Amino acid sequence: MKKYDKDFENIFGDELGCHQFLLPYRRAYLIMEAMLNGLNDEIKSFYEHSPIHSIKGRVKTPESIIDKLYRRGFEVSMNGVLELTDICGLRVICKYVDDIYDLRAALIAQPGVEVIRESDYVRNPKPNGYRSYHIILTIPVGNQRVPVEIQIRTIAMDMWASLEHNLYYKNDHEKKEEIELRLFQCSQMLVLLDEEMEDLYKELNENWKEHRIG
Ligand code: 0O2
């Protein structure tokens, strides 16, 4: 962490200060993960369909926090850190597109959850083809409210985002436009794939509407 030694000291003081600062974010992570798993079980018990395929996530390291302050042009101070809403972030991978909306509805109705902002890149994908449903919310942890970023997406959306993220850094200037176009075309194929898999699910589960929480 040599690169940010001075910033680290200015922001957190020392290792203990940093550890104590991140503790509520770590607790928020565990609370959110349990909440999402609980919702998955609840939906499954009522509707014979579990929407969640898997959950991944992390609490940012001090290095990636400071990195993001520089990248986003925020003040490199504790004030800047407190502006970040994704220090605690979870990615929820769902099976079908409808699952994203079912889970979102169940999640934002949970006691204690307060939504700060939502971005629906599923119905309104980014120009590069990125699709995902983002929710920034806060939950109570002890006597403070902690922000958490939840990204909800299908397996196909997750595949595209993971590979795009990787390829982006290998994207040299000469081929930039061609690669961006091909990545966009891949995202279009995955839209069709998501639609086809969901159609199959609905055909094989005639009562699928009853499986949904609406
Ligand atoms: P890192 O390194 O992943 O932490 P806003 O409402 O505009 O403030 P928004 O639109 O919900 O915020 O999200 P934003 O800031 O565009 O992106 C938030 C995160 O979504 C990103 O984190 C990525 O993880 C993911 N994401 C957004 N756009 C893309 C994309 O085009 N490709 C991929 N692969 N991922 C994307 P960060 O901020 O990059 O930081």
Side-chain angles (χ1 to χ4, degrees):
M1 172 95 168
K2 279 255 169 297
K3 188 168 143 200
Y4 295 132
D5 272 356
K6 213 72 241 108
D7 294 322
F8 179 89
E9 202 182 308
N10 288 339
I11 296 171
F12 303 110
D14 54 17
E15 289 291 338
L16 181 63
C18 180
H19 176 75
Q20 282 172 341
F21 172 77
L22 289 176
L23 270 181
Y25 293 92
R26 295 216 174 87
R27 280 180 64 191
Y29 185 92
L30 296 174
I31 294 168
M32 266 333 293
E33 191 178 36
M35 194 185 283
L36 288 161
N37 280 320
L39 288 173
N40 194 43
D41 287 351
E42 216 169 279
I43 294 172
K44 187 174 181 194
S45 73
F46 283 112
Y47 307 102
E48 293 167 25
H49 169 77
S50 50
I52 298 180
H53 170 264
S54 54
I55 299 174
K56 346 184 222 194
R58 83 300 170 260
V59 170
K60 272 187 184 293
T61 60
E63 186 167 6
S64 86
I65 290 174
I66 300 172
D67 220 40
K68 186 147 188 178
L69 295 179
Y70 278 110
R71 251 190 307 129
R72 292 284 166 115
F74 290 165
E75 197 180 293
V76 183
S77 65
M78 183 46 88
N79 283 340
V81 173
L82 292 174
E83 280 190 61
L84 297 179
T85 49
D86 68 341
I87 292 177
C88 173
L90 290 93
R91 202 164 274 161
V92 189
I93 317 300
C94 287
K95 294 170 185 164
Y96 304 106
V97 174
D98 277 3
D99 292 331
I100 296 174
Y101 292 98
D102 290 346
L103 192 68
R104 175 244 171 216
L107 178 61
I108 65 169
Q110 287 303 291
V113 168
E114 276 177 22
V115 174
I116 305 290
R117 186 170 74 238
E118 293 182 86
S119 311
D120 185 352
Y121 298 124
V122 176
R123 291 194 175 125
N124 307 296
K126 287 196 173 186
N128 63 354
Y130 176 77
R131 293 185 301 144
S132 199
Y133 198 102
H134 293 185
I135 310 175
I136 311 283
L137 49 82
T138 64
I139 52 165
V141 176
N143 58 4
Q144 69 182 103
R145 296 203 65 89
V146 177
V148 180
E149 182 184 272
I150 311 280
Q151 299 180 348
I152 316 179
R153 46 172 80 151
T154 61
I155 300 167
M157 293 174 198
D158 190 52
M159 185 191 101
W160 186 91
S162 305
L163 298 181
E164 186 262 0
H165 185 74
N166 232 268
L167 292 168
Y168 189 81
Y169 294 105
K170 299 190 174 144
N171 195 351
D172 66 45
H173 273 302
E174 272 170 48
K175 286 188 167 183
K176 197 173 183 335
E177 277 178 21
E178 186 206 320
I179 302 224
E180 282 173 359
L181 176 66
R182 286 169 67 186
L183 279 168
F184 179 74
Q185 287 165 341
C186 288
S187 79
Q188 297 305 101
M189 290 183 225
L190 291 168
V191 170
L192 296 180
L193 185 73
D194 265 336
E195 283 170 4
E196 181 60 5
M197 295 302 283
E198 184 146 341
D199 282 351
L200 268 172
Y201 168 75
K202 287 173 183 172
E203 269 177 50
L204 294 171
N205 295 274
E206 281 179 10
N207 300 323
W208 68 272
K209 274 210 161 115
E210 290 160 27
H211 295 179
R212 299 292 179 185
I213 55 175

